[in-house]
Amino acid sequence: MEQEITMIDNFSSDAAFDSLYSLRAQQLSSIHWTPIEVAKKAAAYLTGGPAGKNILDIGSGVGKFCIVGGHIFPDHIFHGVEQRKALIDEAIIAQNATNTPNVHFIHANFNELDMDKYDHIYFYNSFSENLFHYKPIDNLIDCSEAIYNEYLSLFYEILEDKPSGTRVATFHCDDNYIPPSYKRVQHVTGESLKLWIKQ
Ligand SMILES: C[S@@+](CC[C@H](N)C(=O)[O-])C[C@H]1O[C@@H](n2cnc3c(N)ncnc32)[C@H](O)[C@@H]1O
């Protein structure tokens, strides 16, 4: 009897992509991980400039943005920094399962990175867990308003230090996270994705 082998295209839908992850990570997806269509748009923008091949996702979670971006834009390198080791482990499993070599996950706090190594930045409001506790990822990380303020001012400083032409994509973020030296190039009404460029 012939056996039928069905290949899943993991990039065809959020459900197909999320099936790469543990059940727990799948349950967190709609709140904590970037939807595929948003990741595609953000990655297209961040890779679309004349210079700079290194894209950084600050707080990369299970790696969804980096893997989707890396899959579509193989000439760029997508780096993800994530403070939770368990999420890095899930990200690497998904990276291997999708055979996406141009992705690099770093288990660290973003405040330990040398930001000069990265040209353009993706940011899905990663520090908000310090203020809002709805459906938390886990309870293993200290969260507080003081930590939120510390991280947000460092993020602001990092953006201010970047050269002209630096591209930033934010998802579900207030405009005041971004220094005035950045111009917003696009924001589709009803979408929470905002695209910025340093003047
Ligand atoms: C909203 S999730 C976004 C995940 C991923 N960027 C995506 O879009 O699918 C935010 C992630 O940021 C991580 N995070 C928060 N603060 C961080 C920090 N200081 N350094 C590194 N990662 C951090 C959290 O652990 C969480 O996984």
Side-chain angles (χ1 to χ4, degrees), residues 26-27 41 49 53 88 108 117 127 140 152 160 190 193 197:
Q26 291 179 39
Q27 287 164 345
K41 281 186 203 166
K53 297 223 170 275
I88 290 281
K117 291 184 178 168
F127 313 138
L140 302 174
L152 206 55
E160 281 201 311
L193 178 68
I197 191 159

Side-chain angles (χ1 to χ4, degrees), residues 32-34 57 59-61 64-65 81-84 87 108-110 122 124 126-127 129 137 151:
H32 293 281
W33 321 137
T34 299
D57 180 3
S60 52
K64 198 166 169 183
F65 166 75
V81 61
E82 171 54 54
Q83 63 183 347
R84 290 179 164 90
L87 302 187
N109 193 308
F110 87 107
Y122 179 70
Y124 178 179
S126 296
F127 313 138
E129 65 176 345
I137 294 172
Y151 286 169

Side-chain angles (χ1 to χ4, degrees), residues 40-190:
K40 284 181 184 169
K41 281 186 203 166
Y45 175 66
L46 295 174
T47 57
K53 297 223 170 275
N54 289 286
I55 316 295
L56 175 67
D57 180 3
I58 295 181
S60 52
V62 290
K64 198 166 169 183
F65 166 75
C66 287
I67 295 170
V68 172
H71 176 75
I72 307 173
F73 299 100
D75 293 338
H76 285 72
I77 304 167
F78 287 77
H79 307 261
V81 61
E82 171 54 54
Q83 63 183 347
R84 290 179 164 90
K85 173 73 167 60
L87 302 187
I88 290 281
D89 292 345
E90 294 233 22
I92 291 170
I93 289 170
Q95 177 189 7
N96 291 337
T98 54
N99 194 18
T100 317
N102 54 323
V103 173
H104 178 221
F105 292 112
I106 308 149
H107 177 217
N109 193 308
F110 87 107
N111 63 14
E112 299 165 61
L113 290 191
D114 173 2
M115 287 292 167
D116 291 343
K117 291 184 178 168
Y118 310 104
D119 305 301
H120 308 289
I121 292 173
Y122 179 70
F123 185 68
Y124 178 179
N125 207 357
S126 296
F127 313 138
S128 65
E129 65 176 345
N130 288 286
L131 300 182
F132 307 109
H133 308 297
Y134 179 65
K135 286 207 181 171
I137 294 172
D138 57 35
N139 57 6
L140 302 174
I141 300 280
D142 285 340
C143 288
S144 70
E145 197 175 334
I147 293 173
Y148 173 80
N149 289 330
E150 181 193 320
Y151 286 169
L152 206 55
S153 43
L154 177 59
F155 177 68
Y156 196 93
E157 271 172 42
I158 288 167
L159 294 190
E160 281 201 311
D161 286 348
K162 284 284 175 200
S164 167
T166 298
R167 292 177 177 223
V168 173
T170 58
F171 190 46
H172 287 291
C173 288
D174 286 347
D175 291 0
N176 60 10
Y177 288 11
I178 307 296
S181 52
Y182 284 74
K183 184 178 151 206
R184 199 164 85 189
V185 298
Q186 191 194 333
H187 174 217
V188 180
T189 309

